[in-house]
Amino acid sequence: VTVTPVTSTLSTTPPRAHASIPEPSFLSIAASHPQPRAARPLRRYHFHAPGLVYIIVTLFIAIGAINSQNNLLFSALGLAIGGLLVSGLLSGGALMGLRLNRSAPTHLPLGQPLEITYQLRNSGRLVPAFGIHLMELSSHPELTAAPEVNWPAFFPPPRAFAVQVPPRGVADAVATVIPRRRGRLTFGPIYAWTTFPFGLVKKSVTLAIPQSTLIHPPILPLRSGLLRQLISRAPMGNNADRNPGMGDEFFGLREYVPGDSLRRIAWKRSARTGDLVVRQNAMPAPQRLWIVLRLVAPGSRVPAGASETSRLNERAIALAASLLSAASAAEIAVGLAIPGVAPVGDPMRAAAAGMAAPRLGRPHLERLLNELAMLDADTLHRGAAAGFPDAAARSGACAIIDAAGPDPSFGPPHALRFAASEAERMLEDSEVVRRTLALFDLAPALPPRRHWRTALRAFIRAAGGSA
Amino acid sequence: MNLNRAYQRCALALAVLGILSYATAARQTASGAPGLLVWALPALCTGWYLSARRSFTLPRAAVNALLTGALGYAILRAISGMDVSTVAELVIFLLVIKVGDRRSPRDDGQIISLSVFLAISAMLTGNSLLVGVQLMVFLPLLVATVMLFQLQSGWLAAHGEAAAPSAGPPVSPVPLPSPRWADTAVPGLASLLRRTVVVSSLGILAFSFLVFVILPRGVGENFLGPIGHVVRLGTVTAFTDTVALGDRGVISDNPEVVFTAEFLQEGGENIGSLDMTYYLRGAVLDKYSRETHTWSASTVNKNVDPRVITGPDRMPVGVLERNSPLASSSSTQLIEQVIRIPQVPNSPIHLFGLWHPVTIEIPRQGTAKVNYTDAVVESAGSAGPFTYRVKSTIAPLASNDAARRTPTSFPSPPVHDLAARILSDAKLDPDPEQRPVSDDARGARMIQEYLRTKYSYTLTEYAAPYGEDPIEHFLFVSKAGHCEYFASAMVALCRAVGINARMVTGYIAAEFNSATGQYVVRQSNAHAWVEAEAGAGFWQRYDPTPPSDLARLHRPAPGIFTRLRQMLDAAEFTWNQSVVGFDEHARERLLAPTARPGDALATRLESFAARVRFGGSRLVFTALARGMVTFALVAITGFGFSFLLSIVRKRRPARARRADPRPLRFYSNLLTLLRRRGQAKPLWRPPLAHVSTLSDPELALGAEALTRLYYRARFGQQPPTALELAQARAMLRKLGR
């Protein structure tokens, strides 16, 4: 399974709805993502090795019984055949009334365990379902309409197990996995099977339930004092908002209304106009922090090969996400600029591409994290387009995270520069941080092993035959 | 329901039952069957305890060495003769070794498979009721074990027992929960699973019954030779056609049932009763070797007719008294004996019947050797349950030549003198030349009476000195012996005075089971007696063994145990009739399209009515009395069991108050730990207050954490999670160190 590169852009486009992400996302990829739809479940019986051995033993018993006319062997033969039939009936009956659903978080920071909860509902009145195995499939030859599925790039096949689902009851089975990379992970068909009661016959149900989860970059704890150091380097002034409030900066004048304090009356102006006018102060503006993320574009000169480029970019993105999260938690308005991000579609929005002005609030932070989650360094522009954004130089503190290493010529002098290779210097010295950063050193996940029948069909298809 | 605990119990019970059923089936043929129980069961239970409770597994080297030893033993056994017992013993070895080598679910699966193979071996080895009952228990146990095994292996495959994170990166940034199978408890599972086990078992039994009934019998029999034949072939029956005086001979105290016999008058009336005793003869021994002191059957001048029985159906094999008008006479009163042997080998066996047999019907294919001179039959055919019918006349047959006797003698002067004295005392001439043939029968009776009254019965062997004939030793020195000595002495005495006599071995049918209308013949009923000739071809039966001793030995003393044994015999008889002996005829009867459902019931009712009619009110009252006694026994047992159960239930809450429920066991363990370290918590002191008194800071910290967890679970209605319980156990282990 290959992960198709996705492009993203920072824009002010109204968010579009997505089934698995309830809050609006401004990511353009969301528009092209298919909506989940119910599909007809595929039910199959599989005969596997234990069943084959069982049948061979049953045949031997049959031969022994016929040859010897030993009635106990005849009854043993009856028991063996009865066992086979009861096995098929029980497992088939259990899965016949089984309804499946998947529940996964809409987003999650990288490094945190992802709990995929499978909700099983047994609509049968009599037959309980036991021993239900649940697996994610990357594809299924008979489910042609399945959307692009990319979870194998994130983690090895997750497995869950439900011990029982009583008749007319529900049960949850949880698979816990740890994603190895950020981005939008999409799920595809769910494969539920059971060999209960005797392990002779395997009965399966495959159901396509498309769903996705956005894996944010890891949110790691910063070293203490780092945020204070950043804010302290912000240029003085420009601390007022454009709205009236209770700050110290002058905002404007307005007519007196009963109830206004006499102390706020602008006497000179009132004397000049003849009407009582009161002074209004501006609302105190939050501290602002611009985070400029400078990634290594493809084709650029890098200290090492492509894997090193990717590793540095990922560390830079992780650092940016951690800074954004920590600053937002400290009531600092955070903005993000990523020089070189390609605009998508509308050329009129090119000027604003790759930038999000500092703002407060959780929705804003999540939008930024979503953007970082979907950021693809392979689509970065090189050359002039990758210059320092002017808006970031004008106000607030500025942190430049450079994947390739600090460049003093890039950005204003008051900006604080960080190199991705020295991320540990900015982050708390802890085992969690070390292990999370080590995720970027891992080799990409291998695609899961295919079922032999699937592989055979693929081979026949490739050879020009029909499977 | 703790799945692991339930699985461990079921799997252990399954393995134990597998060994038990095989040992039960093999208890007659395999000499090592009791030994199996002595070594295999303790080894199995110990191995299971160590592996399940202590997580102990044998080192690989030890496992390999044991496996090599077991294979070597099996190969040695196979060289001397390969049969089911060889394979079964190897399976038992493997089972015991495997129990000590349980590392993965695959090993557990192999243990279940080996137990199933043992059950199949038991079927191939024996088919007694006890084996059947054990296999009936085996089935639901197997169903439950396999279901629990499926759940266990599935759970472990998904969670990977403390290594779940095959689904995560090699080193996970945050610790993942690692639930343990041993702690897995699923509420509500027990009742559902129990119901499923019961329904599945019943379903399988129903299918089994259908297959059992529908499959035709007799098709393809022996097409592959002896494969699948039951090993327990009933070869050990205590009956012998060679009697060596001084050896054990026919003497046996084994209560194993050899066959059942039903005695019917013409018209089908059962003539069995508690007072009647029948002699079922099997072999005639007319040759005595004075060198080896052995009685055997001579083959000289015998009219033997070998026959091949080809028809699959029952067929008459001949009239023993070929020239006798009895064979075709309709006026002779005949007794029909229906002999049912649960299991016969495919080697020749002696067929038993009353003296004087007239016809015999053998329903199985094979060969028969009819000895018309001695009126005995040997039959060979396929192994399995075997039922045959013999018709005998109880009226003494007239001699063809009443004035002629067969010349005979016994070359022993003291025996001759004794015999002559006995006959002289009875005013009979000891000289056969002078004595009329018609007095031979009286002479034989006199000798029989002499032995019955002057000699005592004992099972203790008084070995004759080297060089001395055991018969003479019995007659003149020891004057005590068992039936073989009495019969030998009578034959010798008779022959010494010219009366032709021969020893007969067979069984005494003395134990009548009124519930089934059958005589139960056991190995311990093997007996030897005498037939003497009074006129050419006119043989009469004599038994010189004292009748009181005979009755004591062969007729069970009345009592509760006898009743119980009879009930078991009745059950065994039903089992043999309906399951072991189910054949094509029975199948056709069951599936006959014309048969109405009520026919069988009507037949039974008619039979019962006939028994009441013939048995009269005594039978009714006896049946009523037995029914009441049985009811009283069952009621007393039931009340006793309920009483015991109520005591147990009364005690259980008290125990439950003292001990914590299982999820809170860690707190009990903490209290035990504190007690061991000399800081036991007084009953009056609250748990946390007690923790504050602990001097050891490490102990205090750990104890506080555990106590708070206990508080939360006990009073906060928040049961600890599996992870917390695991942590609590780890902390207890740490504090214990």
Side-chain angles (χ1 to χ4, degrees), chain A residues 63 66-73 75-79 82 85 90 113 130-131 133 156 161 164 177-178 195 197-199 435, chain B residues 123 150 154 158 167 169 171-172 174 187 189 192 196 200 207-208 212 217-220 222-225 227-228 230 579-580 582:
Chain A
I63 290 170
I66 291 169
N67 188 63
S68 67
Q69 297 291 308
N70 178 352
N71 276 332
L72 282 193
L73 281 185
S75 56
L77 176 65
L79 293 177
L85 292 173
L90 268 186
F130 289 103
H133 297 255
F161 183 72
Q164 64 152 351
V177 289
I178 299 210
T195 56
F198 306 133
R435 287 188 176 185
Chain B
M123 288 179 194
Q150 287 295 315
V171 181
S172 135
V174 290
L189 177 65
L192 263 185
T196 310
S200 303
F207 278 120
S208 171
F212 184 83
R217 300 300 199 276
V219 179
N222 279 331
F223 76 104
L224 283 177
I227 291 177
V230 173
V579 178
V580 178
F582 187 82

Side-chain angles (χ1 to χ4, degrees), chain B residues 373-392:
Chain B
T373 307
D374 295 336
V376 290
V377 181
E378 280 183 51
S379 166
S382 54
F386 179 42
T387 300
Y388 62 92
R389 291 167 179 267
V390 182
K391 279 187 179 174
S392 308

Side-chain angles (χ1 to χ4, degrees), chain A residues 311-459:
Chain A
R311 192 177 77 88
L312 290 174
N313 279 345
E314 291 301 327
R315 286 167 75 98
I317 291 169
L319 212 50
S322 304
L323 265 176
L324 285 172
S325 181
S328 182
E331 296 293 321
I332 299 170
V334 284
L336 178 65
I338 310 172
V341 169
V344 175
D346 186 4
M348 296 300 289
R349 287 162 36 208
M355 281 181 60
R359 278 189 194 173
L360 277 175
R362 184 78 198 165
H364 177 66
L365 173 68
E366 284 192 359
R367 275 198 289 274
L368 296 183
L369 290 176
N370 288 351
E371 180 63 19
L372 285 178
M374 299 301 298
L375 191 58
D376 187 356
D378 289 345
T379 59
L380 291 178
H381 276 282
R382 281 166 288 177
F388 190 84
D390 292 339
R394 282 200 293 269
S395 66
C398 180
I400 302 174
I401 299 168
D402 207 326
D407 179 3
S409 65
F410 185 79
H414 69 269
L416 205 55
R417 292 172 173 78
F418 301 102
S421 57
E422 297 173 354
E424 289 87 347
R425 202 164 55 82
M426 298 169 60
L427 299 170
E428 197 179 87
D429 184 18
S430 69
E431 188 63 24
V432 173
V433 169
R434 275 193 293 277
R435 287 188 176 185
T436 308
L437 290 179
L439 286 175
F440 305 133
D441 302 334
L442 295 173
L446 292 172
R449 269 180 62 193
R450 282 188 294 185
H451 192 270
W452 65 271
R453 225 162 34 197
T454 315
L456 183 65
R457 281 190 184 136
F459 173 75

Side-chain angles (χ1 to χ4, degrees), chain A residues 48 53-54 57 60-87 89-90 110-115 125-134 154-167 174-180 193-200 431-439 442, chain B residues 3 117 120 122-124 126-128 131-132 135 139 142-143 146-148 150-159 164-177 181 184 186-189 192-193 195-196 199-201 203-205 207-209 211-212 215-230 383-385 575 578-583:
Chain A
H48 60 157
V53 172
Y54 183 84
V57 172
F60 272 111
I61 293 176
I63 290 170
I66 291 169
N67 188 63
S68 67
Q69 297 291 308
N70 178 352
N71 276 332
L72 282 193
L73 281 185
F74 273 113
S75 56
L77 176 65
L79 293 177
I81 296 173
L84 197 64
L85 292 173
V86 167
S87 173
L89 285 176
L90 268 186
L110 183 66
Q112 293 297 310
L114 169 64
E115 284 196 348
R125 291 183 178 186
L126 295 173
V127 186
F130 289 103
I132 309 291
H133 297 255
L134 294 142
F154 287 79
F155 38 73
R159 286 189 67 172
F161 183 72
V163 174
Q164 64 152 351
V165 191
V174 179
T176 305
V177 289
I178 299 210
R180 292 177 180 176
W193 53 274
T194 182
T195 56
F196 196 87
F198 306 133
L200 308 177
E431 188 63 24
V432 173
V433 169
R434 275 193 293 277
R435 287 188 176 185
T436 308
L437 290 179
L439 286 175
L442 295 173
Chain B
L3 288 172
F117 279 122
I120 295 175
M123 288 179 194
L124 290 172
N127 52 16
S128 65
V131 175
L135 294 178
L139 173 70
L142 175 68
V143 169
V146 175
M147 284 181 179
L148 285 166
Q150 287 295 315
L151 295 182
Q152 183 205 33
S153 54
W155 193 95
L156 290 177
H159 295 89
S166 69
V171 181
S172 135
V174 290
L176 288 175
W181 167 246
T184 304
V186 182
L189 177 65
L192 263 185
L193 200 60
R195 217 179 307 157
T196 310
V199 170
S200 303
S201 303
I204 292 172
L205 273 178
F207 278 120
S208 171
F209 177 74
V211 171
F212 184 83
L215 280 181
R217 300 300 199 276
V219 179
E221 186 174 359
N222 279 331
F223 76 104
L224 283 177
I227 291 177
H229 284 289
V230 173
W575 166 260
S578 52
V579 178
V580 178
F582 187 82
D583 56 6

Side-chain angles (χ1 to χ4, degrees), chain B residues 488-506:
Chain B
S488 302
M490 181 167 171
V491 173
L493 288 169
C494 286
R495 287 184 178 182
V497 291
I499 302 171
N500 192 14
R502 60 193 186 190
M503 182 191 282
V504 177
T505 52

